[in-house]
């Protein structure tokens, strides 16, 4: 398998970026898989490139999720931890 770090970066319209990033977060919240950690950590790395509207949407959705599921632990995977980390990163980002 080719090393993905050697691949060219993907560019796309901000509207599509918003849809993909927000959709990924909504899909993976509550999945109780290691994928939730990978998605949250990957999006945290993208925060400087995201618009304030996208970050606001993510923060709203994550806050709502964490409030509705304050102690979500599914087996050995704590599904709330990656989202709490991402929310903290969003809140630390300058607007």
């Amino acid at each position: 398998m080719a090393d993905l770090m050697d691949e060219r970066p993907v560019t796309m319209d901000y509207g599509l970026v918003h849809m993909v990033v927000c959709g990924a977060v909504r899909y993976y919240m509550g999945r109780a898989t290691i994928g939730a950690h990978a998605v949250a950590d990957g999006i945290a790395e993208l925060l400087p490139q995201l618009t304030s509207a996208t970050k606001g949407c993510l923060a709203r959705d994550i806050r709502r999720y964490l409030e509705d599921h304050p102690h979500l632990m599914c087996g050995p995977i704590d599904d709330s931890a990656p989202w709490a980390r991402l929310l903290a990163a969003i809140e630390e980002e300058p607007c």
Side-chain angles (χ1 to χ4, degrees):
M1 185 163 100
D3 183 5
L4 295 178
M5 299 306 290
D6 294 333
E7 297 294 322
R8 292 181 311 163
V10 175
T11 58
M12 63 177 82
D13 175 74
Y14 274 113
L16 183 57
V17 169
H18 179 87
M19 182 180 71
V20 169
V21 170
C22 292
V25 168
R26 290 172 183 163
Y27 177 82
Y28 275 98
M29 282 191 295
R31 294 277 172 184
T33 69
I34 197 67
H37 290 260
V39 168
D41 293 343
I43 291 172
E45 291 179 20
L46 295 175
L47 287 177
Q49 300 172 56
L50 299 179
T51 65
S52 59
T54 299
K55 289 185 256 187
C57 178
L58 293 173
R60 181 200 62 218
D61 289 351
I62 294 169
R63 261 191 224 99
R64 186 176 298 152
Y65 174 75
L66 293 174
E67 288 169 1
D68 291 346
H69 305 91
H71 301 292
L72 185 61
M73 185 77 175
C74 298
I77 298 173
D78 178 1
D79 188 52
S80 63
W83 307 117
R85 280 195 315 270
L86 180 56
L87 180 59
I90 291 168
E91 290 172 342
E92 292 173 2
E93 262 295 297
C95 293

